[in-house]
Amino acid sequence: MASISPYKNWKKYEKYLISGQWHVHTNYVDGENTVDEYCKRTVKLRIPLIAFTEHVRKKLTYRYHDLVGEILTAREDYPELIILTGCEAKVLEDGSLDVSEDVLRQSEIVLMAFHSFPADKDKYVEALKTALSNPKVDIWAHPGLFLRNKNFSLRDEEVEDILEKASRENVLIEFNEKYQLPVRSWVEIGKKKGIKFVRGSDVHKIRDLK
Ligand SMILES: [Zn+2]
Ligand SMILES: [Zn+2]
């Protein structure tokens, strides 16, 4: 019997997984543009959905609530556009996410990603599986970037195992345009496992939008 897979927020916007922009950084951290500038440009390009997935930490250097405020204002200014709050949270060594409960409560879309992490493949796989089973996680951002940077590779069986888990947990795999990830073999395996993909360009300025 098929197990019941967890509900995820992205399901409400499933028809925009490829046409939307699901990975965007603003001037709150290392992006160049404001929420308003992004929305204006997104409407112009006829992109139907934009998710503001700002970098977060448990201790923030900015007020997440302010970012949410700008997003709420933009929803009034651009009623034709779907504008989502979100965050990109780093996976920690134990597989938990470097994000506060407060931010999670305000985020409609949660990206998890590996940034700094020990150069240990087994630890990575274990943390990845834990993160994939986190009910808050919607998207695995730039999948495989850590492996590429550390010169690690996974056997096909390991990839199958991981992507099967992602599929079961309803975690989307990002087509990351900035890093050209995931690699083709992962896409092929993912399709067999019933994975759903989502477009995320890791946009840092409006010129990156397309
Ligand atoms: Zn990232
Ligand atoms: Zn990012």
Side-chain angles (χ1 to χ4, degrees), residues 141-173:
H142 45 73
L145 181 62
F146 170 82
L147 295 166
R148 188 162 83 187
N149 288 345
K150 302 286 179 195
N151 250 321
F152 290 144
S153 61
L154 298 178
R155 286 177 284 115
D156 276 0
E157 306 88 78
E158 291 176 302
V159 177
E160 280 172 20
D161 195 37
I162 288 164
L163 294 183
E164 191 169 298
K165 183 159 187 65
S167 170
R168 218 169 37 232
E169 299 289 349
N170 279 334
V171 174
L172 302 170
I173 302 296

Side-chain angles (χ1 to χ4, degrees), residues 58-108:
K58 276 184 183 137
K59 282 208 164 67
L60 285 181
T61 55
Y62 63 96
R63 282 161 48 114
Y64 188 81
H65 190 73
D66 293 345
L67 174 61
V68 172
E70 288 192 30
I71 291 168
L72 296 182
T73 302
R75 279 182 192 162
E76 284 173 21
D77 295 343
Y78 305 93
E80 64 274 62
L81 181 62
I82 298 165
I83 310 171
L84 303 179
T85 62
C87 65
E88 178 178 11
K90 180 177 94 157
V91 180
L92 299 169
E93 271 191 67
D94 64 357
S96 66
L97 300 182
D98 194 359
V99 58
S100 68
E101 283 300 318
D102 182 51
V103 167
L104 282 179
R105 254 195 314 275
Q106 299 178 73
S107 287
E108 291 167 294

